[in-house]
């Protein structure tokens, strides 16, 4: 999946989840803490995905894990695409 290829190489990305909802895709990118430089890199990757698939609608979210365990966030019905399970 091109989404995984664009986002997973970014240092600091811990997990990526995707779920298709009717006519769009929801994408959650989990990082440890708020980091504006990291968010800029993620945003650039997201924009490149939008450019690759102009007919597809996306809803992107960046989730800050903070002090929570890495397994605390799993969106209902979403597939984890990074890291591969």
């Amino acid at each position: 999946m091109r989404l995984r290829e664009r986002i997973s190489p970014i240092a600091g990305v811990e997990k990526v989840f995707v779920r298709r909802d009717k006519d769009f895709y929801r994408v959650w990118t989990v990082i440890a803490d708020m980091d504006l430089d990291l968010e800029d890199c993620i945003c650039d990757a997201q924009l490149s995905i939008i450019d690759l698939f102009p007919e597809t609608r996306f809803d992107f979210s960046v989730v800050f894990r903070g002090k929570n365990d890495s397994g605390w966030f799993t969106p209902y019905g979403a597939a984890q695409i990074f890291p591969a399970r």
Side-chain angles (χ1 to χ4, degrees):
M1 172 177 265
R2 292 187 184 181
L3 178 63
R4 179 178 46 236
E5 294 167 1
R6 300 282 176 156
I7 296 177
S8 64
I10 301 170
V13 170
E14 296 183 350
K15 291 186 178 183
V16 180
F17 297 92
V18 175
R19 182 179 74 209
R20 183 172 182 153
D21 286 347
K22 295 186 181 181
D23 62 344
F24 67 99
Y25 289 90
R26 293 186 189 272
V27 181
W28 295 268
T29 303
V30 180
I31 62 176
D33 294 300
M34 186 185 306
D35 179 329
L36 296 179
D37 291 331
L38 177 54
E39 287 184 75
D40 284 346
C41 291
I42 293 167
C43 184
D44 289 344
Q46 293 168 344
L47 290 172
S48 73
I49 293 297
I50 291 169
D51 288 343
L52 282 173
F53 302 100
E55 302 296 320
T56 304
R57 294 175 50 212
F58 293 93
D59 178 22
F60 292 102
S61 299
V62 175
V63 178
F64 308 116
R65 178 177 52 78
K67 296 186 185 330
N68 294 306
D69 177 83
S70 65
W72 74 276
F73 181 79
T74 303
Y76 176 78
Q80 181 178 320
I81 63 166
F82 176 78
R85 289 184 153 191

